[in-house]
């Protein structure tokens, strides 16, 4: 009985932590959109969420973490797709299939974040620089996954080039989704446009990478 009670208490504490984290993140996003990222302080976010300033920094080590709270998922996405590719499937084919699925789902991690959020990112030098860094980290993680896939070293020029090409296509398509969002298009309109553009972009890589890193 005591063990079950302890487990229940742990579950409640974890749920409370997640609730507090989400509360802080929601208030921070609202303030960033209203006032701008650079102009909003941690103290203002804490006051809006009715928590101590230290509580905010305990949950979010950096101010930009309040905005880009799915960054771990973003960085790991391409590498995980390659690692989980089906037998007979190349790295390119798996990434293409996965991207098509994210567009169909209008996944926020792929860039479907809505006009207010996208405008906030574009208008902040800090967040724009952070996003570029996340794209770089994602490419590095992809290079490691490709190295494992082909049994090579990440420093190998072929692996680095393949990761660069595949990472660049995803970076460009992410930016394209942002551009179309800022131009006033709906998510449905963006998904329709990007689906065709992505097909042409991935087609360009087929001659070089169509048979690369086949599972």
């Amino acid at each position: 009985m005591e063990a079950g009670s302890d487990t229940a208490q742990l579950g409640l504490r974890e749920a409370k932590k997640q609730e507090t984290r989400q509360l802080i993140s929601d208030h921070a996003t609202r303030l960033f959109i209203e006032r701008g990222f650079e102009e909003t302080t941690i103290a203002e976010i804490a006051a809006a969420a009715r928590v101590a300033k230290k509580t905010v920094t305990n949950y979010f080590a950096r101010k930009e973490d309040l905005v880009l709270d799915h960054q771990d998922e973003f960085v790991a996405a391409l590498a995980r797709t390659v690692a989980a590719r089906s037998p007979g499937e190349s790295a390119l084919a798996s990434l293409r299939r996965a991207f098509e699925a994210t567009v169909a789902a209008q996944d926020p991690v792929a860039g479907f974040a809505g006009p207010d959020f996208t405008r906030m990112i574009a208008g902040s030098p800090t967040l724009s620089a952070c996003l570029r860094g996340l794209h770089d980290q994602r490419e590095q993680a992809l290079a490691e996954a490709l190295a494992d896939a082909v049994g090579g070293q990440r420093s190998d020029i072929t692996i680095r080039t393949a990761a660069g090409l595949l990472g660049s296509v995803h970076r460009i398509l992410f930016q394209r989704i942002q551009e179309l969002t800022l131009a006033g298009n709906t998510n449905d309109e963006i998904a329709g446009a990007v689906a065709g553009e992505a097909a042409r972009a991935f087609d360009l890589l087929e001659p070089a990478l169509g048979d690369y890193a086949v599972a």
Side-chain angles (χ1 to χ4, degrees):
M1 189 71 177
E2 289 184 3
S5 178
D6 289 344
T7 301
Q9 287 297 321
L10 286 171
L12 287 172
R13 282 198 292 272
E14 185 59 33
K16 180 62 176 177
K17 286 181 180 179
Q18 290 301 322
E19 181 182 324
T20 301
R21 180 184 177 87
Q22 190 62 53
L23 176 69
I24 294 170
S25 177
D26 289 346
H27 279 289
T29 299
R30 176 179 59 80
L31 290 172
F32 291 152
I33 289 173
E34 290 176 358
R35 307 180 185 179
F37 178 80
E38 269 76 17
E39 290 75 15
T40 304
T41 67
I42 296 296
E44 289 170 337
I45 295 167
R50 297 185 178 181
V51 299
K53 183 178 176 181
K54 185 163 181 59
T55 301
V56 176
T57 56
N58 282 341
Y59 279 96
F60 300 92
R62 304 178 305 161
K63 186 179 173 183
E64 45 269 47
D65 293 339
L66 285 155
V67 178
L68 303 169
D69 54 345
H70 296 293
Q71 54 189 290
D72 291 341
E73 179 184 350
F74 180 86
V75 168
L78 304 187
R80 286 176 179 167
T81 296
V82 168
R85 67 199 188 287
S86 302
E89 189 175 42
S90 69
L92 173 59
S94 68
L95 291 169
R96 182 173 190 157
R97 173 175 50 79
F99 184 80
E100 289 170 351
T102 63
V103 170
Q106 299 178 11
D107 189 343
V109 179
F112 290 89
D116 292 338
F117 192 89
T118 303
R119 194 175 299 112
M120 174 188 64
I121 297 287
S124 167
T126 300
L127 293 177
S128 295
C130 186
L131 184 57
R132 287 193 296 272
L134 292 176
H135 279 290
D136 291 341
Q137 292 176 45
R138 183 164 70 162
E139 184 179 311
Q140 292 168 9
L142 176 58
E144 293 175 4
L146 291 174
D148 291 340
V150 301
Q153 298 294 322
R154 189 167 66 87
S155 59
D156 182 273
I157 193 64
T158 301
I159 292 171
R160 290 172 62 183
T161 301
L165 291 170
L166 292 166
S168 291
V169 164
H170 283 82
R171 186 189 301 247
I172 290 166
L173 291 171
F174 185 96
Q175 292 169 344
R176 181 60 173 151
I177 292 170
Q178 287 186 306
E179 291 170 3
L180 291 170
T181 300
L182 293 174
N185 294 277
T186 66
N187 278 352
D188 286 342
E189 291 170 339
I190 295 167
V194 170
E197 293 177 348
R200 297 199 298 274
F202 283 114
D203 281 347
L204 291 173
L205 299 185
E206 284 290 348
L209 297 175
D211 297 322
Y212 184 73
V214 175

